[in-house]
Amino acid sequence: MPKGAPGVPAVTKLDLRIPPPAPKLPRKVYVMGVGLHEFGRFADKDYGELGRVASNRALEDAGVPWTDIPIMYATSMQQGACWGTKVAISMGATGIPVVNMEAACCSTSAAIAQAAYAIGSGAFDLALCVGAEKQPRGYIPTLDMPAWMRSMGLGTYPGLYAQMMQRHMHEYGTTIEQMAWISVKSHKNGAMNPIAHYRNMGEVTVQDVLNSRMVVTPFTIYMIAPTSEGGGAVVIGSEEAVKKYGVRKPIEIAGCVQSSMIYEWDELLYPPSLLRITAKQVYEQAGIGPEDVDIAQIQDGMPVGEIEGLEEMGFCEMGDGGKMAEKGITWIDGSFPVNTDGGYMTRGNCIGATGAAAMAEVVYQLRGEAGPRQVTNVDPKVGLAHNMGAGIQTSIAILKK
Amino acid sequence: MTEKKTIAMTNDDGAPLFTWPSENPQLIGAKCKTCGEVVFPKRNQCPICYTETMEEVLLSTKGKVYSSAVTFLAPWSGFNKGKVPYEVAHVELPEKVLIATRTFPDLKTGDIAPLPIGTEVEMAIVEWGEDEKGNTVMMHTFRPQKTRA
């Protein structure tokens, strides 16, 4: 982060209700390999196939044979039951434990956290975390909300994020042009990302974004993430595993925390204290502060995610989140690149695999393997991957090279 | 044949969201006898002090818009055949509780107009549609407070 990162805002309202400290990682845990299946629409592929392709790419990247994997964590939001065994079966079932996990958009990052705790505590030396999704077009079904909200038309995520954005505009004067700049940046990055849902869409201008179809005020369609199909996988392991398989560029998971909702009377969808507390926990776990972070992936399903994420995780002053893209700070050639793969907005929100995609991009950047998307103005040593999802849940991981 | 009724929208536990039928309908919330926190819809355990001392309370019918937006895309999941665009909002009541709600400036025509943050509003019950048993389901909305002539 550029000099002068103000740090995480104070948690004032909830001082008496701070949740337990973040879990400890008694030994070091590394990302050994990452692999993504393209995001988009794949009528000819089922969940098992999307997960299989992503898993094989991650295993190949790590140099680990499938038959050496002792445990698999599989994630999805919309597959019903036993989705993980479908992946295992399509890869040739080996009898390992398959843990199915669902945490909305945090699913894979939550699974990576659980796998990191399992490896960090010594129970396992290796784990495969894989997520994928098959999903209909249109709104994500808001199954975390009561039926009355859904039937009254109140239970849509864009509708709720729009109301968060309206509050932010009211309190800080954030403009619709600033939101459009986030979309312009995302489209530019997404166009350079071979797995992005909108990889063929090309670049757009602020005017294009503002002129695109209005979905929910103030968000036009170019500001809203597509619901994508696809897959993502991450192989993580202990220091012993890194040595055993001769991993070229291991990336340490210096911190990873998953959190759920903390009640606040004015909660809408993006309760600030949840993000502040989680950020404090993960910085403490990693022994760093926001000023030490060089690049970040931040949930940007809609612009308010990136804007508030930048503020609540301590990368800019409260109310300045909208200025970061407008000023170029968060671009690939800026001083603090954010969502270099296009983020949710153009890479796509493949719910069950989104966390893997965020982590993969940070890994590519830290290894210097992001190709045309490689950041140019910083030499990244520490990266942060953040996700935020229904429930309400959030997860943050800090990766170090 | 069962008699068809006019009923209030209910929460997932089957409890009505407001008093109905009623001349002066009010939203049904809960207040903690220990710490005073007020929630809507009602629940059994306080989210602030975690005690099980919640009691049912009827909420104020007037408040102000905390946030609002206009939606142009109809949700596909269980949404009534309402027209788009439509307004969504959260209304803040004096008890410090937020109500997720639709807002209709004009209940007869359904015409929409943005209700900016801070607009003073009052509750009005309108017809939502029919449930699977043919009952007429009513829902809460908020509209601008009438100014005195």
Side-chain angles (χ1 to χ4, degrees), chain A residues 32-34 61-62 192-194 247-251 295 360-375 380 401:
Chain A
M32 296 170 60
V34 292
D61 189 43
M192 292 187 283
N193 183 353
V247 176
R248 284 175 305 120
K249 294 178 181 175
I251 302 294
I295 52 166
E361 180 66 8
V362 173
V363 167
Y364 293 142
Q365 292 286 353
L366 294 180
R367 287 178 183 167
E369 294 174 354
R373 304 188 311 283
Q374 186 64 43
V375 298
K401 91 171 160 191

Side-chain angles (χ1 to χ4, degrees), chain A residues 264-344:
Chain A
E264 289 167 80
W265 81 274
D266 55 351
E267 69 200 33
L268 278 178
L269 184 68
Y270 212 107
S273 301
L274 166 58
L275 200 44
R276 289 177 197 183
I277 290 169
T278 312
K280 279 178 191 288
Q281 287 178 329
V282 76
Y283 289 139
E284 193 182 319
Q285 215 183 22
I288 63 164
E291 65 282 358
D292 301 311
V293 178
D294 301 308
I295 52 166
Q297 289 286 123
I298 299 176
Q299 195 265 42
D300 62 335
M302 276 144 268
V304 67
E306 186 169 312
I307 291 170
E308 297 212 357
L310 284 163
E311 295 168 0
E312 305 292 355
M313 290 189 284
F315 297 122
C316 66
E317 297 286 349
M318 290 300 298
D320 283 351
K323 299 173 188 161
M324 298 286 277
E326 187 185 33
K327 287 182 177 170
I329 294 167
T330 49
W331 290 56
I332 278 176
D333 60 356
S335 56
F336 184 60
V338 171
N339 293 328
T340 47
D341 64 344
Y344 284 46

Side-chain angles (χ1 to χ4, degrees), chain B residues 28-75:
Chain B
I28 302 168
K31 182 174 183 176
C32 178
K33 282 197 277 194
T34 307
C35 75
E37 184 71 8
V38 177
V39 296
F40 173 83
K42 64 178 184 179
R43 51 174 109 171
N44 296 327
Q45 188 157 349
C46 178
I48 293 291
C49 71
Y50 309 115
T51 56
E52 292 179 273
T53 55
M54 304 299 282
E55 60 181 357
E56 194 173 297
V57 288
L58 299 182
L59 302 178
S60 303
T61 55
K62 291 182 178 176
K64 57 184 181 183
V65 174
Y66 179 83
S67 194
S68 65
V70 179
T71 301
F72 291 78
L73 179 63

Side-chain angles (χ1 to χ4, degrees), chain A residues 5-6 62-63 129 132 153 165 201 255 280 350 379 394:
Chain A
C129 301
M165 192 75 247
M201 185 172 165
K280 279 178 191 288
C350 175
D379 173 20
T394 193

Side-chain angles (χ1 to χ4, degrees), chain A residues 39-215:
Chain A
F39 283 18
R41 290 278 153 196
F42 304 97
D44 57 336
K45 290 182 182 175
D46 63 8
Y47 181 90
E49 177 63 10
L50 293 167
R52 184 188 72 82
V53 171
S55 296
N56 280 347
R57 288 177 181 174
L59 289 165
E60 190 187 341
D61 189 43
V64 174
W66 159 233
T67 47
D68 283 7
I69 292 292
I71 184 167
M72 173 199 274
Y73 295 80
T75 55
S76 158
M77 183 177 167
Q78 306 198 40
Q79 309 309 314
C82 304
W83 52 81
T85 49
K86 289 179 188 167
V87 178
I89 288 166
S90 46
M91 296 177 74
T94 57
I96 57 171
V98 174
V99 183
N100 286 306
M101 282 185 62
E102 187 278 323
C105 300
C106 301
S107 291
T108 351
S109 41
I112 291 164
Q114 293 302 321
Y117 304 155
I119 292 168
S121 60
F124 292 94
D125 275 316
L126 271 176
L128 170 65
C129 301
V130 54
E133 206 71 73
K134 294 289 291 180
Q135 55 181 340
R137 291 168 196 272
Y139 289 117
I140 297 167
T142 43
L143 298 176
D144 59 317
M145 293 181 206
W148 66 272
M149 283 188 72
R150 296 201 299 275
S151 58
M152 283 170 67
L154 304 174
T156 73
Y157 298 124
L160 288 160
Y161 277 119
Q163 292 176 68
M164 281 308 301
M165 192 75 247
Q166 296 282 2
R167 278 303 302 182
H168 198 274
M169 294 165 79
H170 176 76
E171 283 173 26
Y172 301 110
T174 304
T175 66
I176 192 163
E177 286 78 15
Q178 289 171 337
M179 296 170 217
W181 275 114
I182 292 175
S183 173
V184 170
K185 166 174 75 77
S186 172
H187 281 80
K188 185 178 167 70
N189 297 351
M192 292 187 283
N193 183 353
I195 71 100
H197 193 146
Y198 289 159
R199 56 191 172 276
N200 297 321
M201 185 172 165
E203 296 186 24
V204 299
T205 66
V206 166
Q207 219 31 254
D208 293 336
V209 177
L210 298 179
N211 291 342
S212 69
R213 183 161 57 91
M214 181 59 74
V215 176

